[in-house]
């Protein structure tokens, strides 16, 4: 940062490496396909359990279903009426008893075989992309230099200050916008190091063949049905991350943000005068 | 282009994208070549990688205390075939398992003969393609021992299991490769949870192929056939569900 001038606002910097940009956009497509085909697979047995086994006569901690024309979501002891969205929904002008509605699934009409083909083919692209990006980020220093919170950044006072700034929608300007803020680093790390690898591992733990070859993976979760539940929960945590991510992109300046992820070039937002 | 129209364009694209994506995915999924070549790549890769990294690996075996309180039945629970019904009424006393196809010594084995062969008992987890799992104890004769008695010809590559049950007149059948056929945990089970194999679970004999999903575990097995290729067998895709709804033939994932 030898070239940093006192007020670099409005300057354009190179922000994202080609590996980051490529992986970002491949993932954007792959994750949508994985989520929507995954919801269709869930539709085949819309109940979740803890432990190694779990079937219709075993207690489910989450269930989506229908009684007549009324859809419901049961979580633990609570029941919610979800008619129209979960359990019962309309497609092509007709009522369907299906856990997740057609507009949220691939394919849109019930087809477990085809949903599995989408999911288990694109899973290779998802896992391969993640592995390639992780290796590239270790080699080129991205993980260590850009994503690792520095010592003082993890101090409670600093973190609290960032939380307050975010709550005021007071986003980084000028020189400070060169780097990710700590909350941003923690969010990216949680997704990159915990959630995405967790999706791959909990997915592998559901494979009877992989459970024979690498029993450590299913043991890590404490059973195949627990792995299936974790897979479901982690999927929604990724959805939550994407929603917050998109809101932050909109707040921080969508055109500048999208351009930086396409071309790599990012214009530092002007500091308030 | 003015700012407003660019914004309207972006907004229109954002609103149209989900519909295009969904319609596009439905159209791609309906195309046979995309379905088999692009969306078949997962099965192709998984099968080869699984065979490469763990073809001899054993499935987890559980303790008796871990057995599911209720092991639900699935698929057909009582074949309509008059032949099977007659056998069921007489306790399968005259029933014979036929072993044929590409073998040197075709076999006809009754239940007593199968039970006199080396037996294996295992407590394993059954995973349905739909997502549920149940743990049960199975007793039977290793399929490898039956095939050894029949002596496979060198050209044999797959083992086809023909079943007594059907869906709308289409007979159930399944097939596995020789790696799974000779795997020590692949058994023809005649006992379950310490008793005889219940009718609903596939009496008199069902396949247990522990590293694959439930639909591969053919019930009501009547005949075993060794073949060189699956293309000439019934629908050509290696199994009833593979032929009718397009489930993957390799169900290890």
């Amino acid at each position: 940062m030898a070239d940093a001038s006192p007020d670099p606002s409005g300057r354009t910097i190179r922000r994202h490496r080609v590996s980051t940009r490529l992986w970002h956009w491949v993932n954007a497509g792959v994750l949508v396909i994985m989520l929507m085909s995954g919801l269709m697979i869930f539709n085949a047995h819309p109940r979740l359990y803890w432990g190694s086994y779990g079937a219709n006569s075993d207690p489910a901690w989450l269930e989506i279903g229908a009684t007549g024309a009324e859809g419901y979501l049961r979580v633990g002891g609570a029941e919610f009426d979800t008619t129209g969205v979960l359990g019962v929904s309309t497609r092509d002008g007709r009522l369907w008893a299906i856990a997740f509605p057609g507009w949220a699934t691939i394919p849109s009409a019930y087809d477990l075989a085809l949903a599995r083909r989408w999911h288990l083919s694109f899973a290779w692209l998802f896992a391969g992309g993640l592995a390639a990006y992780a290796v590239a980020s270790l080699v080129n220093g991205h993980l260590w230099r850009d994503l690792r919170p520095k010592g003082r950044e993890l101090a409670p006072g600093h973190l609290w200050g960032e939380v307050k700034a975010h709550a005021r929608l007071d986003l980084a300007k000028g020189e400070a916008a060169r780097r990710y803020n700590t909350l941003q680093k923690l969010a990216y790390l949680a997704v990159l190091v915990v959630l995405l690898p967790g999706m791959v591992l909990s997915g592998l733990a559901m494979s009877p063949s992989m459970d024979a070859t690498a029993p450590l993976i299913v043991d890590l979760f404490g059973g195949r049905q627990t792995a299936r539940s974790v897979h479901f929960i982690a999927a929604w945590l990724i959805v939550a991350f994407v929603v917050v991510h998109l809101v932050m992109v909109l707040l921080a300046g969508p055109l500048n943000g999208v351009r930086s992820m396409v071309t790599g070039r990012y214009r530092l937002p002007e500091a308030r005068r | 282009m003015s700012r407003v129209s660019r914004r309207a364009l972006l907004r229109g694209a954002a609103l149209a994208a989900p519909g295009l994506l969904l319609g596009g995915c439905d159209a791609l999924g309906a195309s046979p070549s995309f379905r088999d070549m692009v969306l078949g790549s997962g099965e192709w890769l998984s099968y080869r990688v699984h065979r490469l990294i763990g073809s001899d690996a054993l499935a987890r075996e559980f303790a008796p205390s871990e057995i599911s309180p209720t092991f639900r039945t699935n698929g057909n629970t009582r074949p309509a075939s008059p032949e099977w019904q007659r056998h069921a009424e007489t306790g399968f006393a005259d029933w014979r398992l036929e072993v044929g196809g590409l073998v040197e010594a075709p076999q006809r084995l009754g239940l007593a003969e199968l039970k006199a062969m080396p037996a294996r008992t295992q407590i394993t987890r059954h995973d349905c393609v739909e997502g549920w799992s149940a743990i049960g104890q199975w007793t039977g004769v290793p399929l490898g021992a039956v095939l050894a008695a029949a002596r496979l010809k060198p050209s044999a590559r797959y083992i086809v299991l023909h079943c007594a049950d059907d869906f709308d007149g289409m007979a159930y059948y399944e097939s596995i490769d020789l790696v799974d056929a000779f795997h020590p945990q692949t058994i023809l089970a005649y006992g379950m949870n310490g008793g005889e194999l219940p009718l609903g679970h596939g009496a008199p004999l069902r396949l247990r192929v522990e590293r694959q999903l439930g639909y591969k575990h053919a019930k009501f097995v009547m005949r075993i056939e060794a073949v060189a290729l699956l293309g000439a067998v019934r629908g050509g895709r290696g199994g009833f569900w593979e032929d009718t709804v397009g489930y993957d033939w390799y169900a290890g994932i």
Side-chain angles (χ1 to χ4, degrees):
Chain A
M1 257 173 263
D3 60 335
S5 55
D7 179 17
S9 296
R11 284 236 327 267
T12 300
I13 60 165
R14 293 202 60 83
R15 189 174 176 92
H16 299 300
R17 288 174 187 79
V18 72
S19 57
T20 301
R21 285 179 270 149
L22 189 66
W23 185 61
H24 175 274
W25 291 114
V26 168
N27 247 5
V30 167
L31 281 178
V32 169
I33 288 173
M34 293 306 280
L35 174 71
M36 294 175 75
S37 57
L39 295 182
M40 176 54 82
I41 295 173
F42 176 88
N43 278 349
H45 188 74
R47 296 163 57 86
L48 294 173
Y49 315 90
W50 301 117
S52 287
Y53 65 81
N56 303 58
S57 52
D58 303 309
W61 70 266
L62 182 146
E63 182 184 5
I64 297 174
T67 10
E70 308 226 320
Y72 63 80
L73 163 68
R74 284 186 198 136
V75 186
E79 178 168 327
F80 308 92
D81 183 351
T82 52
T83 309
V85 184
L86 303 178
V88 173
S89 49
T90 312
R91 187 169 54 81
D92 303 331
R94 280 185 55 194
L95 275 185
W96 297 83
I98 193 156
F100 284 101
W103 53 260
T105 61
I106 293 176
S108 55
Y110 182 82
D111 191 336
L112 173 60
L114 194 50
R116 276 174 52 83
R117 286 197 178 188
W118 278 103
H119 204 76
L120 301 175
S121 293
F122 278 82
W124 281 97
L125 205 53
F126 172 65
L130 177 65
Y133 185 69
V135 169
S137 296
L138 280 172
V139 170
N140 66 24
H142 179 46
L143 207 58
W144 186 252
R145 207 167 38 234
D146 305 324
L147 293 175
R148 176 181 57 105
K150 311 294 184 285
R152 58 181 170 74
E153 287 185 321
L154 288 175
H158 178 84
L159 281 177
W160 181 238
E162 283 201 13
V163 169
K164 285 194 290 188
H166 273 78
R168 288 194 306 268
L169 302 181
D170 180 9
L171 304 179
K173 302 280 187 293
E175 190 60 32
R178 269 180 184 274
R179 295 174 297 276
Y180 294 142
N181 63 61
T182 318
L183 296 183
Q184 209 173 359
K185 287 181 182 177
L186 293 175
Y188 291 159
L189 279 177
V191 170
L192 185 61
V193 179
V194 181
L195 280 183
L196 297 182
M199 282 314 270
V200 175
L201 289 177
S202 55
L204 286 174
M206 283 186 269
S207 151
S209 165
M210 284 308 298
D211 286 356
T213 303
L216 266 176
I217 300 175
V218 68
D219 287 347
L220 182 73
F221 292 96
R224 180 183 194 251
Q225 290 299 324
T226 299
R228 187 167 172 261
S229 292
V230 169
H231 200 69
F232 184 86
I233 294 167
W236 289 109
L237 290 177
I238 293 172
V239 170
F241 165 79
V242 170
V243 169
V244 172
H245 172 61
L246 292 177
V247 168
M248 294 309 293
V249 168
L250 285 176
L251 290 174
L255 286 179
N256 194 26
V258 170
R259 183 184 61 177
S260 75
M261 198 44 91
V262 172
T263 67
R265 302 183 71 77
Y266 181 72
R267 189 171 48 76
L268 295 176
E270 287 182 27
R272 214 176 289 146
R273 290 175 199 281
Chain B
M1 188 189 283
S2 78
R3 254 198 137 59
V4 175
S5 69
R6 188 191 304 175
R7 189 170 296 167
L9 195 73
L10 281 174
R11 190 183 300 139
L15 288 175
L20 285 177
L21 176 81
L22 207 53
C25 287
D26 279 352
L28 285 172
S31 143
S33 54
F34 186 84
R35 207 186 153 108
D36 285 343
M37 286 155 75
V38 179
L39 298 183
S41 59
E43 179 198 18
W44 190 92
L45 257 177
S46 298
Y47 179 48
R48 278 151 187 84
V49 170
H50 288 189
R51 284 293 176 262
L52 189 70
I53 65 176
S55 62
D56 297 331
L58 292 175
R60 159 76 44 88
E61 296 194 18
F62 294 82
S65 61
E66 295 170 286
I67 290 175
S68 291
T70 306
F71 198 123
R72 60 167 284 187
T73 55
N74 201 31
N76 286 315
T77 51
R78 195 174 172 83
S81 127
E83 189 192 353
W84 183 89
Q85 302 234 345
R86 207 165 47 242
H87 284 310
E89 280 163 24
T90 55
F92 301 99
D94 304 323
W95 170 89
R96 295 288 180 276
L97 172 71
E98 288 180 41
V99 185
L102 297 173
V103 298
E104 304 285 359
Q107 306 279 310
R108 276 176 58 82
L109 301 164
L111 263 186
E113 289 163 286
L114 290 167
K115 287 178 179 174
M117 293 175 78
R120 183 184 166 92
T121 295
Q122 58 203 31
I123 301 175
T124 51
R125 197 191 63 218
H126 179 92
D127 301 323
C128 179
V129 63
E130 293 175 346
W132 53 267
S133 305
I135 295 176
Q137 186 200 56
W138 306 95
T139 300
V141 51
L143 175 59
V146 173
L147 296 176
R151 300 205 308 276
L152 291 186
K153 291 183 177 172
S155 52
R157 285 286 173 275
Y158 301 96
I159 303 302
V160 182
L161 301 112
H162 297 278
C163 306
D165 59 322
D166 68 87
F167 290 90
D168 293 328
M170 283 185 72
Y172 201 89
Y173 78 103
E174 259 304 339
S175 61
I176 54 177
D177 68 4
L178 295 186
V179 170
D180 264 333
F182 285 95
H183 186 272
Q185 288 171 319
T186 300
I187 62 174
L188 295 165
Y190 44 71
M192 179 189 183
N193 289 345
E196 295 289 308
L197 182 66
L199 296 184
H201 283 288
L205 204 63
R206 82 171 297 173
L207 179 70
R208 296 296 312 168
V209 50
E210 301 295 355
R211 301 178 302 169
Q212 296 208 46
L213 297 175
Y215 63 89
K216 301 298 287 188
H217 300 229
K219 304 198 287 187
F220 317 110
V221 177
M222 304 294 274
R223 184 162 66 90
I224 290 174
E225 183 187 12
V227 299
L229 292 165
L230 293 173
V233 182
R234 297 193 184 274
R237 289 180 174 261
F240 171 80
W241 292 113
E242 291 88 327
D243 287 341
T244 52
V245 302
Y247 282 168
D248 289 333
W249 173 78
Y250 178 65
I253 196 157

